[in-house]
Amino acid sequence: MKSILELSHTEAREYFLKQESYCSVDLPKYFDFQPLLNAISQNNSIRGGLSGLDNAKKLDDVNYKFLTNKDGKYAWRPLQLINPAIYVYLVQKITEQNNWELIVNRFKKFQQFEQINCCSIPVVSTENTTTNKAKSITNWWQQIEQQSLELALKYDCFMNTDITDCYGSVYTHSITWALRGKKIAKNSSSDSHIANTIDKTIQSMQYAQTNGIPQGSTLMDFIAEMVLGYADRILYYKIKYYNHKEQRTKIEDFQILRYRDDYRIFATNEETLVKIAKLLTETLIDLNFKINTQKTTISKNIVRDVIKPDKLYWNAAKRDANTLQRHLFLIHSLAEKYPNSGSLSIALTKFLDRIYPIKLFKESNTKVLVSILVDIAYNNPKTYPVATIILGKILSLETDSKIIDEILNSIDKKFSKIPNVGHLQVWLQRLTIKTNSNKDFNEKLCKKVLDDNVQIWNNSWLNQTISNLFNQNPIIDQQKIIEMPDIPEPQEVKIFNYTY
């Protein structure tokens, strides 16, 4: 794997124009944005600019927005499918040769400090079978978990902290500060510099708002890294200035690992951690960010505490998963202790591996398994895709059609109590699309599957040439629906193409 900063401008453009870079939201395989992205990127009229952006700024539904839940309670996270016309335009502007070289050189300045290490720049792989998500997880394991364990040799304690609502707090003007410096940016806000283009383009897709950037694409992850990298640079100079000012209590012997908005700060003593945390807080406040005090902890046992607690718990608990029901109960216990965790998704994927080859239940009550599974999904929205695939397999093994109907009706009633479950409905539609294709769901993406005339994005601001491309390149691949099996298969939701 290598960082996207090592790519040429043409390679970077190809990377960002891939479907999985455009949409990092888990959707069934018949959602296919690639033909539309290709058609727009190949259209000559968009290469010189995108007319109508000023009009787009006056609309609040240029992007498609839907809410997902982080904890099954009140922590809502807005995800967005960026209007493909704006997305392609922004990618093309960023990856123009001069602009790309400027951005890459700016990142070199962000990353020139050995004691502050950013580990979350998107990576690419020569293995075409490896997904962006798989690459991201592997990169996190190598750059964060393994490095953290290595640092236990040198340091005695560390602090964990992160930024509250990072993407929702990004001040779009701070993107220009990051790429140009704050003073220059404030005096040059109207010129054609790529920083101003990014700022204004993001505003045009967000009803002219300057607070927040859309979440749900690799491109926006990269833009967030511009601001966070700028914060790294400011923090370094704050520490340097502090050491110049203080003669006796200098900040020395430390290392910071940052993965997006998560920080791990290592030091030889707690006093150093507290000083750095204070300077980090000051740095982030100036950029409209806030430290998440509820997730800020200090530990003196680095080897134990750099491994996520959900992972430690599950590695110990899973040994007792003798039966299917016992296995699900253990996963349910993991979900209660560590809701919406990465280990929970992995545990369910392993359960899927176990249950999928089964042809006949010998010792499990279908309703009991479904009840446990649905309760996990109900409180852990991150698991919707894999839980749906497991549900499909369980129901396929039930021979009584009345029980199947009863289960599906019960699930509908249970989840009707939760608002904004569009993401779940998308996956429930995958479950029933082959056996009951006309089943009605409220989610607009579901309606799009059944009727291509349903409009996902407001394109009234676009010229007719570009607007026609949306009609000519549907985002639902009906042939994939025809070819896919009635019972969803594990590879439809697996992060890796091998069992991990």
Side-chain angles (χ1 to χ4, degrees), residues 3 17 20 28 63 80 129 135-136 143 211 268 392 500:
S3 162
L17 288 177
E20 62 172 333
N63 290 352
Q80 297 190 40
T129 56
K135 287 178 283 191
S136 178
Q143 298 294 324
N211 277 340
T268 53
Y500 52 93

Side-chain angles (χ1 to χ4, degrees), residues 219-234:
L219 179 65
M220 288 299 151
D221 293 340
F222 183 61
I223 290 174
E225 288 293 348
M226 295 177 187
V227 180
L228 294 169
Y230 181 56
D232 293 342
R233 183 174 175 83
I234 295 173

Side-chain angles (χ1 to χ4, degrees), residues 23 33 111 141 171 174 176 199 219 300 304 308 313 366 406 440 458 466:
C23 176
F33 302 98
Q111 299 174 340
W141 180 79
Y171 181 49
S174 68
T176 66
D199 179 6
L219 179 65
K300 291 184 177 180
R304 180 193 67 196
K308 288 188 174 182
Y313 172 84
T366 301
E406 182 182 338
D440 188 37
N458 185 338
I466 301 298

